[in-house]
Amino acid sequence: MDKQKSVQELDEVVVRFSGDSGDGMQLTGTLFADASALFGNDVSTFPDYPSEIRAPQGTVGGVSGFQVHFGNRKVNTPGDYCDVLVAMNPAALKANAKWVKKGGIIIVDVDQFNEKGYQRAGYKTFDAETELNLQDYKLIFAPITSLTKESLKDSGLDNKSIVRSKNMFALGMVYYLFERNMNFTERFFEKKFAKKPEIVEANKKVLHDGYNYAANIQAIANKYEVKQAETLPKGRYRNISGNTATAWGLIAAAEKAGLPLFCGSYPITPATEILIELAKRKDLGVKTLQAEDEIAGICTAIGASFAGNFAVTTTSGPGLSLKSEALGLAVMTELPLVVVDVQRGGPSTGLPTKTEQSDLMQALWGRNGEAPMVVIAASTPSNCFDYAFMAGKIAMEHMTPVMLLTDGYIANGSEPWKIPSMKDYPEIKPPIVPEGTKDYMPYARDAERLARGWALPGKKDIEHRLGGLEKDFLKGTVSHDPINHQKMVDIRAEKVKRVQEYIPEQEVFGDKEGELLVVGWGGTYGHLYDAVNEMRKAGKSVSLCHFNYINPLPKNTGEIFSKFKKIVVCELNLGQFANYLRMNFPEYKYMQYNKVQGLPFTVVELVDKFNQILEGK
Amino acid sequence: MEEQYTNYTPQDFKSDQEVRWCPGCGDHAILNAVIKALPEVSKELKYDMERYVFVSGIGCSSRFPYYVNTFGFHGIHGRAAAIATGVKVANPTLSVWQVSGDGDALAIGGNHFIHAVRRNIDINILLFNNQIYGLTKGQYSPTSPLGAITKTSPYGTVEHPFRPGELVIGAQGKFFARSLDVDVKLTKEILVEAAKHDGTSVVEILQNCVIFNDGAYSHITDRENREDRVIVLRHGEKMIFGKNRDKGLVLSGLSLKVVKIGEGGFTMDDILVHDAYNPNPGIHMMLANMQYPDYPVALGVIRNVKDSTYDDNVRDQVLEVMKNSKIKCVDDLLNSGDTWEL
């Protein structure tokens, strides 16, 4: 055994695990990310998988990937290109080779590179290295399947279960490469398969055999070390995905308001995890109703809101389309409601497992009539917690539905999160009408927020009727009076606009004036930040203005725009936010950078684009 | 909770809003029955009036909440059951009443209707069935008979209608009753039973639309023929009907059969006794499906079976999990699971 290999120190590394959609790549990647986070690295992950549960085996369309970016400093994206690629079959290699940095390490399961494997993946030859131009990479052909079989031949497991463990062999190899401690992963096996000790033992054995195999072969010249992140603030951390953070932020808002949380929802990718997470939290009094459809999801939530719960509904693009009519009802009845839309590729069913930002127009205007609604967008996996909390606060204190936009990228992606303390979050004080209030008028409003009172059924003397028909300005009874309608339309718009007084001013990263202002919103934050940061380090006059509050926009928005010579709006759609800004601030000129491929931006392409703009191209 | 409750009169439940249904509409009689039933429900169940919530969808019947002096919610087309479900789960102490027409509940809201029934959530659904779309002015509905000529079926419908009772029992419904708009006394009696039933109660009320489907039920509601063409079922009583109380229902093979007592060897002993509490839906389904002229149309509480309810199950599960969990607040949650110190 050669223990004299050199150890190379790196600041950050990107590892991508890829294989068939049944190969367990999401789990493999998650375990590696968790082990890195526990070690003390900052981590950002990006799952990229097909929408079929088991896509045709061995084909490029069926490749499932999970990318992990970890570093000894703050990591904002899962990384553009990877240093290490694990490809469990020829299709995975074909789909991902272009994402490996020149000189990077590619570990493949050579057992799968047989005639059948090549053909299924659509190769022209039986020589992947030449066909994919991989001469400049460190290719490690490891017989992962056969070694896994050998490793477990005495385990008593059936052949299928044995072969299924090969992802842990690959993981063991990667653990060797980065000298990762395997204790955490072993604990995971013990918990996950508590009732099947033979599986626990098998997984542990395969993991160690993979580690030892990597140590023994001469192919791996270097080990790599990425030190603990020292720039991260001290404290207690956990890993969190955007969907979990969203669910927990909603629970936190309910706790601060002193009301039970009710979620009426229908499963849809990629939003389902929020419902799953909330369903677990009956210990905090959370009620989840898995409705018969999207419409029932939001309508049960509206009913629950009327009855005095903090009500939410969760969905993704096509589901939001179905909820449109009920959204109008929530606007008309002026009840608190949070609608979470985890955006995915569209239109229609589109790309269910891929990310996009193309629901913005729908969120802002996808309703009949003048039906304004507060729209907020989260921008990182962990800040989904804060914006879900704020969505709840605004909904309850201003008596309005609030749309919270996230997207597949931040919803499924995860990062270490310094665990906050609830004492640092603001109180939430909904305008609940006291029992016994005399001459209660359902649509009388407070002067500042223009919020009407929330009168809960079951309380004396405040009986009233709500509904979708236009309301009398004060009494809330049905009114078809033309002037009354105008007044109501105006005040509903004004009520949403007043939220501006209760949200923070927009911040700018970088100088407050200069050549180029990069504008973005939502889940593109990490990539835009890294791109702008890189350019600023190179001395370029670039700043970033990234929005979380969309409707209303922060008060100082126009002022920020006025200080830059050029503005470029970057989004994963054809320019929805750019057009929204043109509508609100027509006095400025907006360039656009748009990408609609079901993928996040890469930092490289952004930097290229910004340089072109600065050079006047 | 030993609370004082008020002795209400029907007048207490009338709202100050002008009732805008057409003169002669069956809805007036139903409103009248509801207004009379609520004081009785309040007395029997010790409910204060602020405990009632009326929820509706869209349609003539769905204006109902405006006319009752309680909490009310006029929703959107077809979604009353979903809204009512949310109200009840959010606050299970409320007495929740859904008012829907046949189009609202069974066409656009068909999905929500069957799922509310399946879940057995404790709401009372009043299904006004006039076999026509009234508010949109005379198109056929999912209960219009095959061949019905309406504005959208000028040559007659080519659709088979739903039978609400069959749908309810098919969706594992535990309470189904039927009444006539004109029979305020029977409707009131049924509504009180429905309110007392713990679970989804569906009360189908055959209702006349004086403008677009006048006389749809006159063959069974005419005073002259009513007693021979309808049968009022009461738990524990023989299934007897007719002006002279001389007709009854017996089981013949696997079907129901109408017989004349004293004829064909049938005596009073052969006549079936109504058992609304029987969990087996077999006879209830047959009774709910009886149609004139082969059978009398069944009125009264046809099925009334105890079972666990959705809202109770939700509440009990939450309490159970809360009791056993170490996580008591959000701070506990955030710090649970795999965490590490930096």
Side-chain angles (χ1 to χ4, degrees):
Chain A
M1 230 195 279
D2 181 1
K3 288 280 184 190
Q4 303 306 310
K5 306 279 183 203
S6 68
V7 175
Q8 197 180 333
E9 208 173 294
L10 297 173
D11 290 334
E12 51 186 322
V13 166
V14 177
V15 181
R16 188 176 180 96
F17 297 90
S18 67
D20 235 6
S21 51
D23 279 344
M25 290 298 104
Q26 302 302 318
L27 174 64
T28 312
T30 304
L31 287 172
F32 185 75
D34 288 349
S36 299
L38 273 174
F39 172 72
N41 293 138
D42 196 21
V43 176
S44 171
T45 70
F46 177 46
D48 184 18
Y49 52 92
S51 62
E52 294 85 0
I53 301 298
R54 290 284 183 274
Q57 254 193 341
T59 62
V60 171
V63 172
S64 171
F66 192 98
Q67 190 156 307
V68 184
H69 184 188
F70 58 103
N72 60 15
R73 55 190 169 210
K74 182 87 186 111
V75 165
N76 295 303
T77 78
D80 295 354
Y81 295 94
C82 57
D83 301 276
V84 177
L85 172 70
V86 174
M88 300 299 284
N89 65 14
L93 181 60
K94 195 176 176 192
N96 290 297
K98 61 176 177 291
W99 295 109
V100 189
K101 286 179 197 163
K102 281 262 163 13
I105 296 173
I106 302 177
I107 299 171
V108 300
D109 181 2
V110 73
D111 292 330
Q112 303 301 319
F113 283 68
N114 48 30
E115 198 174 321
K116 204 166 79 183
Y118 273 114
Q119 278 168 353
R120 278 200 181 145
Y123 283 81
K124 296 188 193 80
T125 65
F126 295 116
D127 177 4
E129 193 168 353
T130 312
E131 191 173 330
L132 299 174
N133 264 323
L134 301 177
Q135 291 80 1
D136 296 338
Y137 300 81
K138 287 178 207 145
L139 267 154
I140 298 168
F141 291 98
I144 293 176
T145 306
S146 46
L147 288 176
T148 302
K149 282 183 185 165
E150 179 63 26
S151 164
L152 294 182
K153 66 175 185 221
D154 299 325
S155 67
L157 293 181
D158 60 273
N159 192 47
K160 210 174 145 194
S161 306
I162 289 173
V163 172
R164 203 182 286 150
S165 314
K166 67 185 178 187
N167 56 335
M168 291 305 138
F169 193 94
L171 183 59
M173 290 181 71
V174 178
Y175 278 170
Y176 170 76
L177 211 52
F178 296 102
E179 279 197 322
R180 281 280 173 265
N181 189 316
M182 292 185 282
N183 293 347
F184 167 78
T185 308
E186 292 182 346
R187 279 212 314 278
F188 170 83
F189 296 147
E190 284 159 11
K191 254 191 271 175
K192 169 106 176 161
F193 305 112
K195 285 177 188 146
K196 293 177 187 161
E198 70 281 6
I199 303 272
V200 175
E201 283 317 306
N203 274 305
K204 281 186 186 174
K205 180 159 193 309
V206 172
L207 186 72
H208 281 269
D209 284 351
Y211 188 96
N212 292 333
Y213 168 78
N216 293 336
I217 55 172
Q218 298 299 315
I220 298 175
N222 297 314
K223 294 179 71 159
Y224 299 98
E225 189 183 1
V226 179
K227 291 219 161 101
Q228 287 187 326
E230 304 219 321
T231 50
L232 294 179
K234 299 279 167 246
R236 183 184 280 268
Y237 280 76
R238 67 175 312 124
N239 244 359
I240 197 150
S241 74
N243 273 342
T244 301
T246 301
W248 291 5
L250 295 168
I251 300 171
E255 184 177 273
K256 282 283 179 181
L259 296 173
L261 178 64
F262 175 97
C263 176
S265 182
Y266 189 77
I268 182 169
T269 303
T272 311
E273 288 293 333
I274 305 173
L275 173 62
I276 291 174
E277 200 52 45
L278 289 174
K280 289 183 200 160
R281 295 280 70 92
K282 293 203 158 56
D283 47 13
L284 294 177
V286 176
K287 290 174 251 187
T288 51
L289 194 155
Q290 184 176 312
E292 54 274 16
D293 62 26
E294 294 281 358
I295 302 173
I298 185 169
C299 285
T300 55
I302 290 172
S305 179
F306 176 59
N309 283 189
F310 169 40
V312 305
T313 186
T314 55
T315 193
S316 182
L320 185 62
S321 304
L322 282 166
K323 294 182 195 294
S324 294
E325 186 193 8
L327 288 172
L329 178 65
V331 169
M332 190 60 127
T333 50
E334 304 194 34
L335 284 167
L337 174 72
V338 171
V339 183
V340 182
D341 174 27
V342 184
Q343 298 168 97
R344 66 189 215 185
S348 189
T349 322
L351 306 173
T353 59
K354 310 288 178 182
T355 199
E356 211 163 282
Q357 291 187 299
S358 50
D359 293 351
L360 180 62
M361 293 288 189
Q362 181 175 227
L364 287 165
W365 292 300
R367 295 168 288 284
N368 68 306
E370 291 287 343
M373 173 178 302
V374 177
V375 179
I376 296 177
S379 50
T380 70
S382 65
N383 82 16
C384 286
F385 182 88
D386 292 340
Y387 289 103
F389 181 88
M390 279 309 291
K393 181 170 164 68
I394 292 170
M396 285 186 271
E397 292 185 343
H398 295 256
M399 294 296 284
T400 174
V402 175
M403 180 95 62
L404 173 66
L405 296 175
T406 70
D407 59 54
Y409 166 71
I410 56 171
N412 288 325
S414 65
E415 61 183 354
W417 181 44
K418 186 166 176 292
I419 300 169
S421 172
M422 286 316 297
K423 70 175 178 349
D424 299 330
Y425 281 75
E427 291 304 314
I428 295 178
K429 291 178 178 150
I432 292 175
V433 178
E435 185 162 39
T437 299
K438 296 296 170 207
D439 304 318
Y440 163 66
M441 284 202 281
Y443 279 75
R445 295 159 196 281
D446 80 85
E448 289 79 34
R449 290 183 168 87
L450 301 178
R452 64 177 201 89
W454 195 3
L456 310 186
K459 306 277 183 216
K460 266 191 204 316
D461 298 331
I462 50 178
E463 286 92 342
H464 66 289
R465 271 74 50 193
L466 296 181
L469 291 170
E470 182 60 284
K471 299 281 166 276
D472 177 83
F473 196 75
L474 290 171
K475 287 186 295 224
T477 49
V478 175
S479 167
H480 297 299
D481 177 68
I483 301 301
N484 178 73
H485 179 52
Q486 176 86 52
K487 273 169 74 183
M488 288 301 275
V489 167
D490 290 343
I491 205 158
R492 284 189 290 259
E494 177 63 21
K495 181 176 75 165
V496 170
K497 197 158 170 263
R498 291 269 176 105
V499 171
Q500 218 172 42
E501 305 296 327
Y502 300 85
I503 59 173
E505 291 213 334
Q506 180 62 40
E507 288 180 11
V508 176
F509 165 63
D511 300 315
K512 304 286 176 279
E513 54 184 29
E515 290 293 317
L516 177 62
L517 181 68
V518 174
V519 172
W521 66 278
T524 53
Y525 172 76
H527 293 92
L528 294 176
Y529 178 89
D530 273 4
V532 169
N533 197 27
E534 195 178 315
M535 293 189 69
R536 291 185 60 77
K537 280 184 184 160
K540 308 282 173 68
S541 173
V542 183
S543 298
L544 173 65
C545 179
H546 198 86
F547 288 86
N548 293 106
Y549 293 95
I550 309 280
N551 188 36
L553 287 163
K555 267 193 286 190
N556 58 333
T557 302
E559 195 193 320
I560 291 171
F561 290 173
S562 71
K563 304 280 170 58
F564 289 86
K565 288 188 185 149
K566 289 177 178 172
I567 299 171
V568 60
V569 184
C570 307
E571 12 174 11
L572 303 174
N573 58 46
L574 290 182
Q576 300 191 11
F577 191 57
N579 280 321
Y580 178 64
L581 293 175
R582 286 186 185 110
M583 185 187 102
N584 282 285
F585 302 99
E587 60 272 37
Y588 308 111
K589 191 167 175 286
Y590 304 89
M591 287 187 272
Q592 289 179 212
Y593 186 50
N594 304 105
K595 173 173 174 180
V596 196
Q597 301 171 8
L599 292 168
F601 285 122
T602 62
V603 175
V604 171
E605 68 195 2
L606 290 168
V607 169
D608 276 355
K609 177 69 186 177
F610 302 155
N611 274 321
Q612 282 171 26
I613 293 174
L614 285 177
E615 288 156 20
K617 282 184 193 161
Chain B
M1 228 175 347
E2 279 302 312
E3 272 184 54
Q4 277 200 321
Y5 68 96
T6 320
N7 250 325
Y8 296 109
T9 66
Q11 199 59 32
D12 293 325
F13 287 96
K14 270 190 191 162
S15 86
D16 59 354
Q17 299 292 295
E18 185 195 351
V19 179
R20 295 196 174 194
W21 290 315
C22 307
C25 174
D27 290 357
H28 292 284
I30 303 173
L31 176 61
N32 197 7
V34 170
I35 299 283
K36 285 184 169 163
L38 291 180
E40 237 173 87
V41 174
S42 296
K43 192 170 177 185
E44 289 212 26
L45 299 175
K46 298 194 169 24
Y47 282 178
D48 286 322
M49 69 188 297
E50 63 269 17
R51 199 155 166 173
Y52 297 99
V53 181
F54 278 76
V55 179
S56 66
I58 298 293
C60 296
S61 63
S62 292
R63 298 300 175 93
F64 205 95
Y66 296 123
Y67 307 142
V68 193
N69 186 27
T70 62
F71 288 92
F73 200 96
H74 181 207
I76 46 177
H77 210 177
R79 319 302 169 196
I83 296 168
T85 296
V87 171
K88 184 69 185 179
V89 176
N91 185 350
T93 64
L94 299 171
S95 174
V96 182
W97 300 69
Q98 179 196 334
V99 184
S100 283
D102 42 311
D104 190 50
L106 304 183
I108 189 167
N111 195 21
H112 314 306
F113 180 79
I114 55 174
H115 287 282
V117 170
R118 170 181 68 84
R119 292 190 182 108
N120 200 30
I121 180 145
D122 186 19
I123 59 176
N124 309 299
I125 301 178
L126 312 189
L127 175 60
F128 295 13
N129 185 359
N130 57 15
Q131 302 183 349
I132 197 81
Y133 283 180
L135 198 67
T136 51
K137 300 192 174 69
Q139 302 80 26
Y140 66 86
S141 89
T143 54
S144 299
L146 181 66
I149 293 179
T150 73
K151 283 191 183 158
T152 47
S153 58
Y155 307 109
T157 70
V158 290
E159 296 186 18
H160 294 283
F162 268 139
R163 291 186 287 215
E166 188 173 36
L167 206 57
V168 169
I169 295 169
Q172 303 167 48
K174 302 295 187 286
F175 186 103
F176 179 72
R178 191 185 284 128
S179 191
L180 303 176
D181 53 1
V182 288
D183 195 338
V184 173
K185 193 165 165 283
L186 179 65
T187 307
K188 188 198 80 174
E189 182 187 319
I190 289 172
L191 292 175
V192 174
E193 287 305 304
K196 281 153 66 179
H197 173 76
D198 202 11
T200 310
S201 324
V202 179
V203 181
E204 180 192 17
I205 305 169
L206 307 181
Q207 175 245 333
N208 191 43
C209 174
V210 71
I211 307 295
F212 297 109
N213 203 16
D214 196 20
Y217 297 111
S218 56
H219 59 291
I220 55 169
T221 57
D222 277 359
R223 287 209 168 276
E224 207 174 309
N225 295 313
R226 194 190 298 176
E227 286 177 48
D228 285 318
R229 297 179 181 180
V230 303
I231 179 168
V232 179
L233 299 171
R234 287 196 169 86
H235 177 76
E237 292 183 14
K238 294 258 182 199
M239 298 185 191
I240 297 169
F241 67 107
K243 256 191 215 101
N244 306 316
R245 307 291 290 165
D246 58 350
K247 286 187 268 191
L249 294 170
V250 300
L251 203 54
S252 164
L254 292 174
S255 307
L256 293 173
K257 186 180 168 185
V258 177
V259 298
K260 200 156 183 192
I261 297 158
E263 280 182 16
F266 289 102
T267 68
M268 190 59 98
D269 289 345
D270 298 314
I271 304 298
L272 291 170
V273 173
H274 182 44
D275 180 6
Y277 305 152
N278 186 353
N280 185 333
I283 298 234
H284 295 159
M285 183 72 102
M286 287 193 271
L287 290 167
N289 279 344
M290 291 194 304
Q291 284 179 304
Y292 180 78
D294 297 332
Y295 293 98
V297 171
L299 304 179
V301 178
I302 294 169
R303 181 169 171 78
N304 186 357
V305 175
K306 257 186 109 64
D307 204 341
S308 70
T309 69
Y310 180 87
D311 39 305
D312 284 351
N313 292 343
V314 167
R315 183 200 54 210
D316 293 349
Q317 195 174 53
V318 165
L319 291 175
E320 179 70 18
V321 176
M322 281 175 108
K323 199 176 71 189
N324 296 325
S325 173
K326 283 187 202 130
I327 293 172
K328 303 292 180 197
C329 64
V330 173
D331 279 323
D332 292 347
L333 172 65
L334 300 182
N335 288 285
S336 66
D338 287 312
T339 64
W340 67 92
E341 294 281 345
L342 270 191

